[in-house]
Amino acid sequence: MNEVSYVNPIPRALAHYESELEQTVARIGITIARRAFPRIEDISGPARRIATLAQLFAAPRSLNDGTTLVIWPALGLLEPSLWRSSQTKAAVFVHDPEPLRHQIGFGRLARWIARGPLGSRATLVSHSSDATRELERRFPRNRILEVAHPILSRQTSRAKQPGRVVVAGQYKPVRDLDLLAELGPLLRSSGYSPLIVGSGWPPVPGWEVDSRYVPEAELDNYLGSADVVLLPYRRYFQSGISLRALEQGTLTVGSRTAFAERMFGATSPLIVEQKADAATWMKAIEQVSTVDSSVVFSEYVTYCDTTWRAFLLDLE
């Protein structure tokens, strides 16, 4: 394969992911281009929703050659069926097979269609083995491929704000507020400066909370200037924030998942066990200085490129 195209129905939300994708594919010598596709962000009113839905169903028929990476499932579990009429070879990326917040196309009817005879046999793509297992359960008839979450080609080095601990990204119901409420006072009493930044967050004891949408450049500055980023999820499949922090030279402490083990290594001191208490998280935070972020970055880029070469060969 010499070239591949992609479509993105949420270009604002996945702007950074696009950059990571384009740089990753370019590193392995493949030409990549974005194709026009209906945008589903910021749509209000029934008339606009109906019009956008009609555009979504019509768009795949206009893509009639090569391979197309669909980097977000606009219709959730129904997305593979959307591509039934397309002449292009579509690979649908499903970042969260079990959504971390409300998402179109994950209701009871959508789950039934996905598993049944009406479901499309489109290729599905995951970014972690945890996500792969969930996709296999939800789409028993589909071909499922796994490839690393893409990453930028160069790591940026920024001046650190000593003691700054950051939780970044919008609030979702799977965020562990109880853990954060325990951690906040512990962090402050140990001389840390804990900050939560992202839209939709409620007040959290011990934390400075900046509850707003943060522009791309400002988010990179928050991540890059932090001593450590925390990933306080009760469950997650992969984390774009932890990779973005790594691109800015900052390491992440989070609970054990297949994604975390692949990113940092199964024995990394940055990984805490599921349902670990706040004291255990504190110990992991204190170990951040023992890990070299440049080594983690270099090793992940090598792994990422290897999986993308194999993935694109599998799509041929």
Side-chain angles (χ1 to χ4, degrees):
M1 180 184 295
N2 296 318
E3 59 183 51
V4 65
S5 61
Y6 72 94
V7 296
N8 180 10
I10 51 172
R12 185 180 73 173
L14 291 188
H16 189 75
Y17 183 92
E18 283 192 8
S19 298
E20 293 171 324
L21 173 66
E22 291 177 356
Q23 291 188 29
T24 295
V25 174
R27 281 197 304 271
I28 61 174
I30 305 295
T31 300
I32 184 167
R34 178 177 166 184
R35 306 281 290 271
F37 198 73
R39 177 174 177 163
I40 64 169
E41 293 171 310
D42 306 322
I43 297 173
S44 59
R48 287 192 63 193
R49 290 193 181 98
I50 292 171
T52 300
L53 188 61
Q55 292 169 2
L56 282 173
F57 277 100
R61 291 195 293 272
S62 67
L63 302 174
N64 54 13
D65 62 334
T67 299
T68 301
L69 309 179
V70 185
I71 66 172
W72 184 264
L75 297 181
L77 298 178
L78 299 176
E79 186 73 19
S81 298
L82 178 65
W83 292 86
R84 183 193 297 272
S85 63
S86 177
Q87 297 302 307
T88 189
K89 190 181 296 182
V92 180
F93 286 54
V94 185
H95 298 243
D96 300 313
E98 181 68 33
L100 304 186
R101 60 189 177 92
H102 175 71
Q103 189 176 326
I104 294 171
F106 282 88
R108 187 175 301 171
L109 177 60
R111 293 196 298 270
W112 178 81
I113 292 174
R115 292 179 61 86
L118 297 179
S120 168
R121 302 288 80 83
T123 297
L124 305 179
V125 184
S126 76
H127 282 322
S128 73
S129 58
D130 290 337
T132 297
R133 284 190 291 272
E134 184 65 20
L135 283 175
E136 288 170 344
R137 186 180 71 82
R138 291 178 178 271
F139 293 90
R141 304 168 188 266
N142 289 68
R143 182 190 188 202
I144 298 167
L145 298 177
E146 185 178 322
V147 67
H149 189 298
I151 189 169
L152 297 184
S153 298
R154 294 185 179 181
Q155 188 178 46
T156 300
S157 178
R158 294 176 184 261
K160 298 295 183 184
Q161 185 174 342
R164 174 64 86 184
V165 178
V166 170
V167 173
Q170 67 179 174
Y171 174 75
K172 303 179 182 74
V174 292
R175 298 280 197 178
D176 195 337
L177 292 178
D178 292 336
L179 170 65
L180 288 173
E182 290 183 50
L183 265 178
L186 281 177
L187 287 165
R188 288 199 176 275
S189 65
S190 299
Y192 290 97
S193 176
L195 169 69
I196 295 172
V197 58
S199 61
W201 280 88
V204 182
W207 291 80
E208 176 188 352
V209 178
D210 186 356
S211 183
R212 63 185 173 89
Y213 170 76
V214 180
E216 295 285 304
E218 189 175 354
L219 176 59
D220 283 341
N221 184 60
Y222 275 124
L223 295 174
S225 62
D227 263 353
V228 60
V229 169
L230 302 188
L231 209 60
Y233 281 109
R234 290 191 171 91
R235 61 176 175 83
Y236 71 97
F237 292 101
Q238 69 275 314
S239 170
I241 284 291
S242 62
L243 280 171
R244 190 163 182 168
L246 183 61
E247 292 164 354
Q248 300 298 321
T250 302
L251 296 167
T252 298
V253 168
S255 56
R256 184 175 299 281
T257 62
F259 174 82
E261 289 184 348
R262 174 57 69 180
M263 185 171 175
F264 297 112
T267 61
S268 172
L270 305 180
I271 298 176
V272 298
E273 300 303 324
Q274 295 283 346
K275 299 182 180 179
D277 60 16
T280 302
W281 279 73
M282 283 296 299
K283 290 178 182 176
I285 291 167
E286 291 163 357
Q287 289 296 309
V288 167
S289 62
T290 68
V291 181
D292 188 335
S293 71
S294 66
V295 172
V296 175
F297 179 84
S298 176
E299 290 178 347
Y300 186 87
V301 169
T302 299
Y303 158 71
C304 178
D305 293 357
T306 300
T307 68
W308 273 87
R309 287 189 189 95
F311 167 67
L312 293 176
L313 280 175
D314 282 343
L315 285 181
E316 286 187 329

